[in-house]
Amino acid sequence: VPPDSDSEGYWGPALAPDASWIAYSSAEGTGRYQVWVQEVQGERRLQVSTHGGLEPVWNATRGEILYRRGNLVFASRITLEPDIEIGTPEVVFEATQFVDTPGISFDVSADGERLYYVRRSLPEQRDRIHLVRNWSAP
């Protein structure tokens, strides 16, 4: 779980496929976690998300950054060459039964076609209890 929203820490860094930019979440300057990209060798920093976001993931196949806000997954088109351009974020998926886990809770497949996320398992209905007596007896 990221630090409190009052914190100005950085969360969930993800290196671009060409290693020229790093995406991360930070509440610095906004008081709310947003997704940012920053040059690895430089000072330029640009905001990707518009209404909050966590856990950025690069989807090199489709030229986008994915991130989540709650159980909604957003995608923002991103072009790195010749100069960086960031598109408007759009909701691309609603993760039903999403489990907000510490660390990274979703990712995209290498071919960019599938999204993986931690999902709550629905418990099967149980109608019996097995009681084992004397389980430690020889």
Side-chain angles (χ1 to χ4, degrees):
V1 177
D4 296 334
S5 60
D6 294 338
S7 170
E8 292 189 356
Y10 303 100
W11 181 252
L15 197 58
D18 70 356
S20 63
W21 290 82
I22 190 163
Y24 60 92
S25 298
S26 174
E28 183 178 15
T30 64
R32 173 184 202 175
Y33 273 90
Q34 299 287 353
V35 173
W36 300 85
V37 291
Q38 183 168 338
E39 287 179 300
V40 171
Q41 299 291 324
E43 297 293 321
R44 265 194 317 175
R45 179 177 109 135
L46 302 166
Q47 189 171 334
V48 176
S49 60
T50 54
H51 295 92
L54 292 169
E55 299 180 30
V57 173
W58 294 86
N59 184 347
T61 306
R62 293 187 170 210
E64 60 191 10
I65 290 181
L66 300 170
Y67 64 90
R68 71 172 189 84
R69 187 180 74 220
N71 66 334
L72 297 177
V73 176
F74 291 79
S76 186
R77 287 277 202 210
I78 188 159
T79 305
L80 300 176
E81 294 294 330
D83 196 19
I84 190 165
E85 291 182 35
I86 300 171
T88 304
E90 297 179 16
V91 175
V92 294
F93 189 76
E94 182 174 358
T96 58
Q97 300 295 322
F98 176 77
V99 177
D100 191 0
T101 60
I104 302 300
S105 57
F106 84 99
D107 203 355
V108 65
S109 63
D111 65 4
E113 296 299 316
R114 288 180 291 292
L115 185 71
Y116 302 108
Y117 67 95
V118 180
R119 183 175 178 191
R120 186 175 326 286
S121 67
L122 301 175
E124 59 186 67
Q125 185 169 347
R126 303 195 184 232
D127 56 1
R128 291 190 237 182
I129 293 179
H130 295 278
L131 181 61
V132 179
R133 293 175 34 171
N134 299 322
W135 61 272
S136 63

